Amino acid sequence: VVLAFANGVFTLALGFVCEISLGTFRPFMPGYRFGGELNPIYQAYSCGMLSLSAMALAQEGGRKRGVYLLTALLALACMVMTRSRGPLTAVLIASVAVFIMIFSRMGKIRCASIVCTACLLLLFLLGTSAVNEVSKVALLGRNDEAPSELTGRIPLWRACYAFAERRLITGYGYDSF
């Protein structure tokens, strides 16, 4: 767990250094996805591992508990900045699994009732627009494509096909396209 935490801190710090030094760190620009020195999806998985390991280390308690919790929150915020839905879903599922394993039966009942009450309250306050708001949040601002139909990827595949025709046998090299 400590090794995963150290690796995640290093990768996240290096990502910030890369983006700031290259001038590509623009979190408030539309379409921005935090990637650092990695692809945004890989950066999201790294942030997810950092968050999970920080939460696990925070469970041990001690003087560094606050630092671990702050690191977990920072990693989750950076994960959201990558706008990668798959890794975020994986971390949420892993967090629920850890939650189920760690808490007592009474703690699980209390937390489940708090979450259900909060969801019902939000549904009551937002009404029918709640479904639209939840879908906007789930898409992480990436509404230019329909995930079930892959409509946003058709122009990409057409462009890739043109490049593939030029170098069908030799290609462009690993990770150089």
Side-chain angles (χ1 to χ4, degrees), residues 29-52:
M29 295 289 293
Y32 171 77
R33 294 181 71 188
F34 177 66
E37 81 283 0
L38 302 171
N39 178 295
I41 294 172
Y42 298 137
Q43 184 69 41
Y45 279 118
S46 178
C47 289
M49 285 301 296
L50 174 59
S51 178
L52 291 172

Side-chain angles (χ1 to χ4, degrees), residues 4 40-56 71-80 82 84-101 140:
I41 294 172
Y42 298 137
Q43 184 69 41
Y45 279 118
S46 178
C47 289
M49 285 301 296
L50 174 59
S51 178
L52 291 172
S53 63
M55 286 188 278
T71 305
L73 286 174
L74 174 67
L76 285 175
C78 291
M79 189 176 200
V80 170
T82 65
S84 299
R85 297 178 294 250
L88 185 61
T89 304
V91 166
L92 291 175
I93 290 170
S95 297
V96 168
V98 169
F99 167 78
I100 289 171
M101 290 186 282
L140 294 174

Side-chain angles (χ1 to χ4, degrees), residues 40-166:
I41 294 172
Y42 298 137
Q43 184 69 41
Y45 279 118
S46 178
C47 289
M49 285 301 296
L50 174 59
S51 178
L52 291 172
S53 63
M55 286 188 278
L57 290 171
Q59 288 295 322
E60 292 179 5
R63 295 180 300 175
K64 296 182 181 178
R65 186 169 197 257
V67 173
Y68 291 135
L69 290 175
L70 227 57
T71 305
L73 286 174
L74 174 67
L76 285 175
C78 291
M79 189 176 200
V80 170
M81 284 195 318
T82 65
R83 293 187 181 185
S84 299
R85 297 178 294 250
L88 185 61
T89 304
V91 166
L92 291 175
I93 290 170
S95 297
V96 168
V98 169
F99 167 78
I100 289 171
M101 290 186 282
I102 289 177
F103 283 106
S104 66
R105 183 175 181 187
M106 200 57 176
K108 290 175 194 172
I109 292 171
R110 284 184 195 136
C111 287
S113 49
I114 289 170
V115 168
C116 288
T117 304
C119 289
L120 289 173
L121 183 63
L122 281 174
L123 188 60
F124 177 73
L125 292 174
L126 296 175
T128 56
S129 66
V131 174
N132 291 334
E133 293 302 317
V134 168
S135 66
K136 285 180 189 177
V137 170
L139 289 175
L140 294 174
R142 292 170 53 193
N143 57 4
D144 58 338
E145 57 189 61
S148 61
E149 300 171 7
L150 299 176
T151 56
R153 294 192 170 105
I154 291 174
L156 174 66
W157 285 111
R158 286 186 182 140
C160 287
Y161 182 72
F163 281 104
E165 283 181 326
R166 292 186 205 138

